[in-house]
Amino acid sequence: MELVVIFLLIWKFVESARILCIFQCPSYSHQIVFQPVLKELSSRGHKVTVVTPIPMKDASLMNLTEIDVSKSTYSVMQGSDYLNFLSKEQPVYLKIRKLFEWYHQIDEAVLSEEKFIHIYNGTSARFDLVIAQSFLSPTLHAVAAKFQVPLVGISSLGAYIGVHYAIGNPHPPSIYSESFLPYHGRMSFSERFKSTLYYIWSRYYLNFEALPKCDQIARKYLGNDIPYIQDIEKNMSLLLLTTNPILYEPRPNVPTVISMEQMHIKPVKPLPKDLKQFLDNAKEGVVYFSLGSNVKSINIPEKLRKVLIEAFAELPYKVLWKFEADDLPGKPENVLIGKWIPQQDVLAHPNVKVFVTQCGLQSVEEAVARGVPMVGMPFIADQTRNIQRLSEEGAAVGLEHTTLTKEEFKNAIFEVVNNPKYKQNVKRLGEIWVDHPLPSLNRTIWWIEYVIRHKGTKHLRSPTADVSWFEYLLIDVILVLLTIVSLALFILYVAIKFILRMIFGGRKLKQN
Ligand SMILES: *[C@@H]1O[C@H](CO)[C@@H](O)[C@H](O)[C@H]1NC(C)=O
Ligand SMILES: *[C@@H]1O[C@H](CO)[C@@H](O)[C@H](O)[C@H]1NC(C)=O
Ligand SMILES: *[C@@H]1O[C@H](CO)[C@@H](O)[C@H](O)[C@H]1NC(C)=O
Ligand SMILES: *[C@@H]1O[C@H](CO)[C@@H](O)[C@H](O)[C@H]1NC(C)=O
């Protein structure tokens, strides 16, 4: 009888785990990717607690407890000079620095939340797993170490370079650069040169500036009884990345890196009445324009806005513009603005001919899912590389917004609307993308529960996670080889000199 009870208890434990999720990034496009995972885990009977800037507030999710950190995290973003950050003149290393500065503040904001302190510093909370957003700063990963439970990292993008270092993915700067840089695959000499400089800088910056600061913040809030932050990050049992073969060139990953795809793509829902009417009536075609939830149309420079408005006015199409204010001065007749637009459903409307986008990952994926070709004007982060990839595949035309003219913009739109190749290619990409042995959500959940069942994935840990950069790049071996070769050359030189002296030195003597 006792055995049966114990068995049932263990069974229960495996069936229903206590999972703490910590998602700090105050951005809609980041969080919508995680929501299906939360829903699925909780409906499978796991007790899920999530710290999030975008709570779902869905009362039907009975096994899910949300701790709302929207106020404090959004106020960090509002207090920052975001506009300056958007400008393309800033080199990527300054942007990474800036992002880390924000992240330090966001992490502190999250760790200062009373309800969360009660969990991580209280005596009653127990967990079996921590899932933490893995985007730049690993500070919050330290909560897993505090509870001494396995850590799963999750990202709504591919990994930035520091996470590749931590998990032990091969990352030769000759082929794979920072995901925020547009150099990937076959690089020219100058690209490899810049990629190498960036690689050296990033190693220096992470090891000597960013990570020590993360460690300091983690210790300030969680106490001193935790390992060094880099060791915690390297100890990650699983890394879930939002990558796909459509936008990311394939790369060798260690076995604990798993890609999540189509997470935020939902079945098509009916449109609101006014929007449906506008799109239905636009038989001549619709240009859908949105710069997403991070860049935002109201943030763009005045000059660019003027170009857009003038170009739109001259188009023979209707334009639907996601514009985050009530009023757009100088709005042309054929333009409809909306502060919030059900993007996936709009893109599914047959009259939408082209999507003008900032090329954020989630937006691009929605366009591919609905088969809408794109005109891309990248601003930040991975957007430049996304449009590069799509242009190479013939599914989009890329533009440089800093120098954009009205004619260029109009021509790009005409090209994408009138040349059928763009639509065909975006459809082809969409078909490749959904062809999988198992739906992505099922695979994601399987891996998370695998980590819970085996209390981590120590057996899958790649040795690449533990070698130092100079071992990885064979710097020590190369130095020894160079020493041996130079020594050999030196000996040869001395020997030849000696022999020559013997021969000619002797002759000289004779002559004398
Ligand atoms: C909550 O978890 C229980 C198991 O603990 C499960 O039977 C139930 O379906 C879950 N409810 C919801 C709404 O997810
Ligand atoms: C690594 O993770 C395991 C659980 O998977 C944990 O027991 C261990 O303490 C962790 N070590 C470090 C250095 O974080
Ligand atoms: C949590 O507890 C640690 C000691 O274990 C302490 O150093 C830290 O200040 C506490 N954090 C907060 C926010 O109270
Ligand atoms: C995927 O997961 C859903 C929900 O748990 C389940 O209904 C479905 O059968 C799974 N599909 C496969 C192919 O395993």
Side-chain angles (χ1 to χ4, degrees):
M1 182 60 202
E2 261 168 49
L3 265 181
V4 171
V5 171
I6 289 172
F7 176 77
L8 280 178
L9 277 177
I10 291 173
W11 182 248
K12 185 90 196 123
F13 168 74
V14 176
E15 283 276 275
S16 164
R18 296 155 300 184
I19 303 174
L20 173 63
C21 303
I22 310 165
F23 304 148
Q24 73 275 37
C25 184
S27 158
Y28 181 70
S29 64
H30 283 248
Q31 302 302 327
I32 46 171
V33 176
F34 307 147
Q35 290 173 354
V37 181
L38 295 173
K39 281 187 190 160
E40 184 65 16
L41 283 173
S42 69
S43 72
R44 288 170 70 83
H46 298 299
K47 293 275 170 284
V48 182
T49 306
V50 55
V51 178
T52 170
I54 303 191
M56 289 183 276
K57 297 188 177 142
D58 180 346
S60 73
L61 299 171
M62 276 151 46
N63 302 326
L64 182 74
T65 311
E66 291 179 310
I67 296 174
D68 183 352
V69 290
S70 55
K71 267 209 197 91
S72 55
T73 52
Y74 270 100
S75 77
V76 172
M77 295 312 276
Q78 273 148 15
S80 64
D81 55 347
Y82 200 68
L83 277 182
N84 188 22
F85 178 70
L86 284 186
S87 86
K88 283 199 134 184
E89 284 75 49
Q90 294 270 23
V92 71
Y93 70 94
L94 284 184
K95 289 192 179 185
I96 294 279
R97 244 176 216 284
K98 189 103 225 161
L99 275 170
F100 261 99
E101 274 164 30
W102 288 340
Y103 268 79
H104 295 321
Q105 292 176 41
I106 289 173
D107 290 340
E108 290 214 43
V110 170
L111 287 165
S112 305
E113 167 62 42
E114 279 302 325
K115 283 188 191 143
F116 189 33
I117 296 176
H118 198 66
I119 289 178
Y120 70 74
N121 255 12
T123 46
S124 54
R126 292 280 176 278
F127 295 99
D128 304 304
L129 182 74
V130 167
I131 302 180
Q133 184 166 9
S134 194
F135 182 60
L136 299 164
S137 148
T139 305
L140 295 169
H141 294 14
V143 176
K146 171 119 185 175
F147 284 108
Q148 296 184 322
V149 296
L151 166 69
V152 171
I154 191 168
S155 168
S156 61
L157 310 163
Y160 97 107
I161 206 161
V163 177
H164 285 297
Y165 296 156
I167 195 96
N169 269 346
H171 46 69
S174 53
I175 301 178
Y176 302 106
S177 190
E178 170 57 52
S179 59
F180 293 178
L181 281 171
Y183 319 138
H184 295 274
R186 287 210 59 84
M187 294 185 210
S188 67
F189 176 79
S190 82
E191 287 173 340
R192 270 179 293 134
F193 194 78
K194 286 182 222 159
S195 169
T196 307
L197 289 186
Y198 183 81
Y199 179 91
I200 296 168
W201 176 82
S202 71
R203 285 292 186 170
Y204 157 79
Y205 176 66
L206 288 175
N207 285 331
F208 297 105
E209 292 190 36
L211 292 176
K213 178 75 186 168
C214 294
D215 189 65
Q216 194 193 339
I217 295 172
R219 279 169 206 279
K220 173 174 162 197
Y221 291 90
L222 302 169
N224 239 329
D225 204 14
I226 47 173
Y228 184 59
I229 195 74
Q230 195 171 24
D231 298 323
I232 296 172
E233 192 185 17
K234 283 182 164 182
N235 196 30
M236 209 185 276
S237 286
L238 176 68
L239 175 62
L240 297 164
L241 297 179
T242 307
T243 57
N244 61 63
I246 311 304
L247 289 168
Y248 288 78
E249 65 288 318
R251 68 179 292 157
N253 284 324
V254 298
T256 45
V257 174
I258 300 299
S259 74
M260 303 189 294
E261 299 170 32
Q262 290 111 24
M263 280 303 181
H264 74 293
I265 306 293
K266 301 211 168 61
V268 181
K269 287 191 299 292
L271 287 163
K273 223 167 118 201
D274 51 339
L275 213 50
K276 182 173 175 347
Q277 208 173 14
F278 177 79
L279 294 174
D280 284 347
N281 292 341
K283 297 275 183 268
E284 67 276 41
V286 177
V287 176
Y288 171 52
F289 180 88
S290 166
L291 297 180
S293 55
N294 294 321
V295 175
K296 293 202 176 99
S297 300
I298 56 171
N299 288 338
I300 60 175
E302 195 58 46
K303 189 175 131 236
L304 177 61
R305 190 196 290 188
K306 208 166 147 256
V307 169
L308 297 175
I309 289 177
E310 285 174 8
F312 284 151
E314 292 176 16
L315 287 177
Y317 315 115
K318 291 267 166 55
V319 176
L320 178 60
W321 184 342
K322 176 175 172 283
F323 189 77
E324 298 82 5
D326 291 317
D327 192 33
L328 170 62
K331 182 179 83 64
E333 275 294 297
N334 60 337
V335 175
L336 177 71
I337 58 169
K339 276 195 211 171
W340 183 84
I341 285 171
Q343 181 160 300
Q344 298 192 20
D345 306 325
V346 164
L347 288 171
H349 196 283
N351 287 347
V352 174
K353 300 289 179 219
V354 52
F355 176 20
V356 183
T357 167
Q358 90 288 12
C359 298
L361 182 61
Q362 274 68 40
S363 285
V364 166
E365 288 188 343
E366 289 172 10
V368 173
R370 303 299 191 233
V372 180
M374 286 153 272
V375 167
M377 48 174 83
F379 283 78
I380 48 171
D382 57 343
Q383 295 169 359
T384 308
R385 58 165 305 176
N386 291 344
I387 186 63
Q388 242 181 30
R389 243 337 243 190
L390 288 166
S391 312
E392 282 162 20
E393 294 286 350
V397 167
L399 294 174
E400 173 53 57
H401 70 75
T402 50
T403 55
L404 189 67
T405 63
K406 183 178 76 179
E407 288 308 316
E408 256 183 306
F409 186 49
K410 274 169 61 188
N411 288 343
I413 288 178
F414 286 136
E415 167 71 7
V416 173
V417 173
N418 295 326
N419 187 337
K421 100 173 185 195
Y422 295 97
K423 176 112 189 151
Q424 283 157 11
N425 280 324
V426 83
K427 282 204 154 149
R428 173 176 60 82
L429 292 179
E431 281 159 16
I432 295 173
W433 190 29
V434 294
D435 200 353
H436 280 295
L438 200 63
S440 175
L441 184 59
N442 299 51
R443 184 174 38 169
T444 304
I445 301 295
W446 185 88
W447 270 99
I448 293 174
E449 291 183 342
Y450 178 88
V451 172
I452 298 170
R453 281 197 295 277
H454 302 290
K455 301 189 173 56
T457 57
K458 210 159 162 256
H459 54 289
L460 290 179
R461 184 179 175 87
S462 162
T464 45
D466 299 315
V467 296
S468 64
W469 62 271
F470 67 91
E471 287 172 310
Y472 176 79
L473 292 175
L474 292 173
I475 303 280
D476 47 353
V477 174
I478 292 172
L479 282 180
V480 169
L481 275 178
L482 279 180
T483 313
I484 293 174
V485 171
S486 0
L487 215 61
L489 285 177
F490 181 69
I491 292 171
L492 195 67
Y493 168 75
V494 172
I496 291 176
K497 212 171 143 187
F498 181 72
I499 293 169
L500 287 181
R501 193 178 290 162
M502 287 289 282
I503 301 172
F504 295 107
R507 212 178 272 168
K508 248 186 216 162
L509 262 182
K510 256 184 216 159
Q511 273 171 2
N512 276 355

